[in-house]
Amino acid sequence: QVQLVESGGGLVQAGGSMRLSCAASGRTFSRYAMGWFRQAPGKQRELVATITSSGRRNYPDSVRGRFTASRDDNKNAVYLDINSLKPEDTAVYYCNVLVGTTTYWGQGTQVTVSS
């Protein structure tokens, strides 16, 4: 059974930094691309980062330069480093993975940025 567990969220002041972690289990995830999404209150869930099995990363323009995805396949983990946090980064952050035809999600971790 695939399981994703996010951690590392919390309350931070604007301008600060944060590292989110996603621990994966139930598969050897080194062969899969992983994604990070976020969902702010009243908004749709949006993609903020992807990282392929080879480590190639992609980001939307809205976060490029501030968000950095990484992975440690020895630990079956992916990370999201966020710098220069803004109040509009406040959201629940999720990691996900597509295994076959099934997309798996973690429960999310709340990031709140105070101004």
Side-chain angles (χ1 to χ4, degrees):
Q1 179 72 12
V2 174
Q3 191 171 23
L4 303 174
V5 180
E6 300 94 338
S7 61
L11 176 64
V12 63
Q13 285 191 329
S17 299
M18 182 170 280
R19 165 169 272 207
L20 306 181
S21 301
C22 173
S25 61
R27 284 283 193 283
T28 301
F29 286 88
S30 58
R31 60 186 293 191
Y32 300 109
M34 305 288 291
W36 282 99
F37 289 72
R38 67 183 179 187
Q39 187 165 20
K43 295 188 177 182
Q44 288 189 329
R45 193 170 294 189
E46 63 170 342
L47 176 69
V48 296
T50 59
I51 182 165
T52 67
S53 57
S54 62
R56 186 168 187 170
R57 306 159 193 175
N58 279 293
Y59 311 95
D61 290 342
S62 58
V63 304
R64 187 175 291 115
R66 296 193 302 119
F67 285 33
T68 303
S70 60
R71 63 192 299 157
D72 185 340
D73 290 331
N74 291 325
K75 296 182 179 179
N76 254 7
V78 291
Y79 306 98
L80 185 68
D81 290 298
I82 310 174
N83 297 317
S84 303
L85 278 154
K86 305 175 181 180
E88 50 265 43
D89 293 322
T90 294
V92 179
Y93 285 71
Y94 301 89
C95 63
N96 88 336
V97 63
L98 175 64
V99 178
T101 59
T102 303
T103 299
Y104 295 90
W105 296 89
Q107 85 290 346
T109 186
Q110 175 71 47
V111 172
T112 303
V113 184
S114 62
S115 57

